[in-house]
Amino acid sequence: MPPRLSTRAISTPLAGLRYASSSTTSKSALSVPKPGQAGPSSSSAPASIPRSSSPVTSSTTNDPKGKAKPGPQTIPPLPRPLGITTPPSSANKTWSQRKKELLDDDRHKAKRKALVKEATQGYFHDYNRAKGVGGGKLWIAPNVLIREDKALYFPDISGKSLLGEEVHTTDLLRGQITLVSVIATRLSEEHEQSFTQPVLEDFAGHPEFNFVQINHQENTLKSFLVSFFISSLKRTIAEDRWGDYLISSGEWSPMDITNPLGIDNKLLGYVYLIDQNLKVRWAGCGTASPEESQALRRATAVLLGRIKGGSEVEQSGVSTE
């Protein structure tokens, strides 16, 4: 039989019990300790946040007014020859080649690395970089040609020309000195013109010179919209160049195209000078400086002068370290 409760306990309201329990709390538990006096310890009390005993180092410096200023930033030179190690081909890959790629550990590591990089970067990563030093310029173009024995091959990129035909860069570049530009935005078009305009003024119409533009639209919707403006593109491009203007849709492979060509910011424009053997002999990105523009003109003139000769003798090249 359960124990009986007293009449007083039954008649006491719940609110009274609540305030009664709070009033029985010791004052020492609620009082604020004086300076130098340790407060009461409780297992339910939140732990204090530890503070670092050493200051955080930074690359910024403070001016007399206390405002932080970033340290000097410089744009590095082109660190390595761009391109792929094997000669490209416009033929469709065989089953054995596809199987080899599927079982290649290096390709899987590169793909995972690209996915991690994309996941850790914000949506406006490229836009923020474009606001940086030199408009987000990634490297300074070399003053001389990359040596032929150190140069790598330009990868095969497919797309539709303004004539409506499916074309490959390998077929367009072979046997000629070709200036190739990769654009995707209006900003990249301005970058491209800063490099290519002086060269086209010098060598347009040369029988051994060619100019190929690749308009890459990774986004499917943007690519669909660009297809509606082909007629306007034809009005801005000479008719004899419609076959050399490619619209490439879809995402490019990081291991086969973007990383080998140094395309690390999709908002920038990229320019490559390709010799008759499909090798990348010079590369630039972003807005061209006067020195870079003159270097590209000299490099193009040198290759056009040597295309009918035998082996090339280079003065110097880009360091591969």
Side-chain angles (χ1 to χ4, degrees):
M1 183 175 181
R4 294 183 179 180
L5 297 177
S6 62
T7 307
R8 182 179 179 182
I10 297 176
S11 61
T12 303
L14 295 177
L17 290 175
R18 182 182 61 182
Y19 290 112
S21 62
S22 62
S23 62
T24 57
T25 306
S26 61
K27 293 182 180 181
S28 59
L30 300 177
S31 60
V32 179
K34 296 180 181 180
Q37 179 182 356
S41 60
S42 174
S43 59
S44 61
S48 60
I49 301 176
R51 297 181 180 273
S52 175
S53 59
S54 59
V56 179
T57 59
S58 175
S59 60
T60 59
T61 57
N62 294 330
D63 61 0
K65 295 183 180 180
K67 296 182 179 180
K69 291 184 177 181
Q73 298 179 0
T74 58
I75 303 174
L78 180 64
R80 59 180 175 87
L82 301 180
I84 57 178
T85 56
T86 57
S89 174
S90 59
N92 294 329
K93 294 181 180 179
T94 62
W95 166 244
S96 60
Q97 292 175 335
R98 294 180 182 274
K99 181 180 178 181
K100 185 178 179 180
E101 291 181 356
L102 291 174
L103 300 177
D104 191 353
D105 291 337
D106 293 336
R107 295 185 65 88
H108 290 294
K109 291 179 181 178
K111 186 178 295 185
R112 286 196 297 267
K113 185 178 180 181
L115 290 175
V116 171
K117 182 180 179 181
E118 183 178 357
T120 54
Q121 292 177 352
Y123 181 79
F124 297 101
H125 176 74
D126 289 345
Y127 293 91
N128 295 331
R129 293 185 65 184
K131 296 178 182 178
V133 179
K137 193 179 184 71
L138 301 177
W139 71 78
I140 300 296
N143 291 326
V144 294
L145 286 168
I146 300 174
R147 290 177 50 179
E148 185 180 16
D149 57 340
K150 300 294 184 181
L152 303 177
Y153 294 96
F154 191 87
D156 181 68
I157 299 176
S158 63
K160 278 192 175 182
S161 68
L162 294 183
L163 298 175
E165 302 173 350
E166 187 76 17
V167 293
H168 292 258
T169 55
T170 302
D171 300 330
L172 295 176
L173 307 183
R174 183 179 287 111
Q176 289 184 314
I177 304 302
T178 310
L179 190 63
V180 179
S181 66
V182 177
I183 58 177
T185 61
R186 178 57 186 167
L187 178 64
S188 62
E189 292 180 6
E190 297 176 359
H191 296 165
E192 172 210 43
Q193 293 175 2
S194 65
F195 280 102
T196 60
Q197 193 64 32
V199 179
L200 294 178
E201 292 176 359
D202 293 342
F203 305 106
H206 194 285
E208 305 295 340
F209 177 78
N210 192 20
F211 177 42
V212 174
Q213 291 175 283
I214 304 175
N215 189 335
H216 178 222
Q217 298 300 329
E218 182 178 10
N219 186 282
T220 306
L221 179 58
K222 289 182 65 177
S223 176
F224 184 71
L225 293 176
V226 169
S227 63
F228 279 100
F229 295 97
I230 290 181
S231 58
S232 61
L233 286 174
K234 289 182 177 180
R235 288 195 295 267
T236 59
I237 298 174
E239 186 174 356
D240 58 347
R241 292 194 50 252
W242 287 358
D244 298 326
Y245 190 100
L246 279 67
I247 300 177
S248 180
S249 306
E251 185 177 0
W252 284 350
S253 169
M255 189 171 182
D256 296 329
I257 299 179
T258 55
N259 289 343
L261 293 181
I263 300 177
D264 198 28
N265 190 330
K266 300 173 184 177
L267 299 180
L268 304 184
Y270 300 86
V271 176
Y272 308 91
L273 183 62
I274 315 299
D275 65 8
Q276 68 275 18
N277 299 319
L278 306 178
K279 288 190 174 183
V280 181
R281 307 298 300 277
W282 193 93
C285 71
T287 304
S289 64
E291 294 78 11
E292 290 177 317
S293 178
Q294 291 298 324
L296 178 57
R297 295 174 67 184
R298 290 195 304 267
T300 307
V302 169
L303 288 182
L304 288 174
R306 293 175 177 174
I307 190 173
K308 294 182 180 181
S311 60
E312 300 183 19
V313 180
E314 307 290 353
Q315 295 179 355
S316 58
V318 176
S319 174
T320 58
E321 297 179 0

